[in-house]
Amino acid sequence: MRLLLLIFPPVSLSLCPEVYGSSCPVLDCWFVQERKGRGGGLTGATSQEKSLLRIRRDAHSLGAEAQRQPASDISPDRVYDVTDPAATLCHPALSAPRGSIHKPQCEINPFLPQPSTLKWATALTDSALSPVYLQADWLSVSLQGLDGQLIQSSIMRAPTATKEPQVILSVSSKTVSVKSRLGEPVLLDCGFWTDSSSPLSGSGFAVEWRYQFRGDGRLVLAYDGKTDRLAEMQEEGATLDFEGLHEKGNASLILQEAKVRHSGTYICTVFLPYLLAQVAMDLEIVEPPSLSIYPSPLPLAVPGQVVTVHCEASGFAPLSLEVSWEFTGADGTSRSLGSGSLTGHRQAWDGTYSQRSKLELDTSKLDLGRGGEVTCVAFHSGGTQRASVTLNVIGNVTPSIEDSMAMVGVALVLYGLIKLVSWTFISEGEVNMKEVGESY
């Protein structure tokens, strides 16, 4: 662990949330929990029940929409009147248009408060005593907004045996899915809010960013906000806006330069004493290929010859790539030449990939006329790329009408020149013979 140069004084984590308007939604959710087997053991099976969250901004009133009665297939035990002072659950992405079949995704789970064993969060619970405040019913709510605009996780506390929880901690992100080019800076959004009336909010916080991809994971960055320390295993090029973190609850991750290895899932977790909430988002580094064709220029071809052309796509990510070939004749018409033969992928030092396609042009089987333009086309998620080279075919090729007329014209011109030269020599010869005769 190392101490940051900038020391922040203890602050209340009642951070200013965005205000989304006066209307809060009624959220249709699934209440999911593990079933207990006989003797109290867990079987691993889960049950899910329809549930309803009616959101209000204070504990004394429900809006007109929130007073809506639940459907008959929802048990009264699964109807919750949620107090959300910061309106974190009132984002427009969580309000489906009336009658729409597309609705936000919402899942509720029982939550068990407990101290964290991670070294960057252990300072939050230095005391081994659990406060009486934890003796309540705790719930975790995971939400995904319409059209991937928002993901959110909230921890709520309800007095024991009541159905009136209050939001204590919310973590959200507006960058559910991000694409970036190589070398560009990347911002992965993560913001959090805590209820200042909770006795847990004044004891500090911690933030962790973790990376996962195909079963492998690593720590990207961890920060202990109580003691103002960063974990020593921080990944190079990853940082936070520490001023915004303390003042606005802005826990967004900044990657200074996108690399191929950054593609994957990023999990932002915010810790309070005994509580945590997290959101996960996907980052994909997308770099289109660079194309080169060789040999260039192509050698002159004669009918019956096989011409081999190579196209190399390099520097692209992710892996998926399709290559095809096209031929455009002298008359401007184009046709497909197929995909050629494609080699396997090769990976460069920077993580990007390259692949090569080989095309064999058999001039005895393909009607290539006098030649034209051969084009390599690469289809990639980063965009379609094209590269072309000119092919010239010489030899016994049937001329077009225009070529035939031009050849006749050239022949007539040559014939005229020959006749003119012939007449000139004949005339000069006659003059010379006459001069010789007169001299005798």
Side-chain angles (χ1 to χ4, degrees), residues 337-417:
L337 297 175
S339 58
S341 58
L342 203 60
T343 65
H345 291 89
R346 292 176 297 166
Q347 192 168 22
W349 63 270
D350 61 353
T352 59
Y353 299 94
S354 63
Q355 202 168 14
R356 185 182 305 167
S357 176
K358 182 176 73 172
L359 179 69
E360 293 185 343
L361 295 170
D362 190 342
T363 56
S364 65
K365 297 179 180 179
L366 296 172
D367 181 14
L368 301 178
R370 292 166 297 149
E373 194 171 65
V374 179
T375 302
C376 172
V377 186
F379 301 94
H380 187 262
S381 57
T384 300
Q385 305 294 316
R386 310 172 73 92
S388 301
V389 67
T390 300
L391 172 68
N392 292 306
V393 180
I394 60 174
N396 188 19
V397 180
T398 303
S400 64
I401 295 177
E402 292 81 0
D403 291 341
S404 300
M405 294 178 65
M407 291 170 65
V408 171
V410 171
L412 290 175
V413 171
L414 291 175
Y415 177 75
L417 289 174

Side-chain angles (χ1 to χ4, degrees), residues 40-53:
L42 296 178
T43 65
T46 59
S47 65
Q48 55 181 25
E49 304 172 68
K50 287 186 176 181
S51 59
L52 196 71
L53 297 185

Side-chain angles (χ1 to χ4, degrees), residues 2 138 165 221 321 345 414:
R2 69 173 183 270
W138 291 84
L221 182 149
L321 180 76
H345 291 89
L414 291 175

Side-chain angles (χ1 to χ4, degrees), residues 201-218:
S201 66
S203 301
F205 67 94
V207 175
E208 176 194 81
W209 277 93
R210 187 167 290 276
Y211 168 90
Q212 287 185 351
F213 184 68
R214 295 179 180 175
D216 293 328
R218 65 175 184 265

